Amino acid sequence: MGAKLGGGGGGKYTVQQNSDINVTPFVDVMLVLLIIFMTTIPPAQVSIKLDLPPAKSPPSNEKKHDPVFVSIMGPDDIYIGAQKTSMATLIPDVAAALMRTDPGTPLSEQRVLVRGDKDIHYEDFVKVLNKLQQNGYVKVGLITEDVI
């Protein structure tokens, strides 16, 4: 135990008992125990060799189809694949292209990929996207590569 020197009531030579714990030795002992446990635990781990078969994913019933590309080169210069179309005939032409590549799939499941030339106005690009969305094409992807 420690002793308090000075302060408090009492005489000049009165020594009071200190009831505060000194935590420094406690921390030292805990750090030593931590180091001992950290060095002895890894060799104590036992490993068992298992020969497991490789994981295989179940076969999917989905058929992969080529997507339909809509390229926007200008305000009324739109291509579906290599076929030129316009805003007025965009939806029937997209439907015809999707019927060639993916017949029998519902409209909400079909993918249309849209790419635009770097020189077109944002408004022209959004008009095409809005027209596709209004006609039920909800899986529309945007491509950021250059259109040749």
Side-chain angles (χ1 to χ4, degrees), residues 33-120:
L33 288 174
L34 177 68
I35 291 171
I36 290 171
F37 283 124
M38 286 174 56
T39 56
T40 59
I41 294 298
Q45 293 178 349
V46 178
S47 62
I48 300 172
K49 184 175 178 165
L50 296 177
D51 291 327
L52 296 174
K56 294 181 181 175
S57 63
S60 65
N61 296 335
E62 271 185 41
K63 297 176 185 173
K64 300 269 181 172
H65 296 285
D66 292 332
V68 172
F69 292 95
V70 177
S71 302
I72 308 167
M73 306 297 278
D76 204 30
D77 193 16
I78 303 169
Y79 292 88
I80 299 174
Q83 176 189 357
K84 185 171 172 51
T85 186
S86 65
M87 280 297 284
T89 60
L90 176 67
I91 298 304
D93 289 342
V94 168
L98 286 170
M99 289 303 291
R100 285 192 304 268
T101 61
D102 195 9
T105 304
L107 193 65
S108 62
E109 295 296 319
Q110 295 178 342
R111 292 182 303 148
V112 178
L113 299 179
V114 180
R115 57 185 164 194
D117 189 39
K118 65 179 179 178
D119 296 329
I120 65 166

Side-chain angles (χ1 to χ4, degrees), residues 120-136:
I120 65 166
H121 294 285
Y122 181 72
E123 178 184 6
D124 299 328
F125 189 78
V126 172
K127 281 181 185 177
V128 172
L129 292 179
N130 287 340
K131 186 144 185 158
L132 289 170
Q133 185 181 15
Q134 289 168 356
N135 287 286

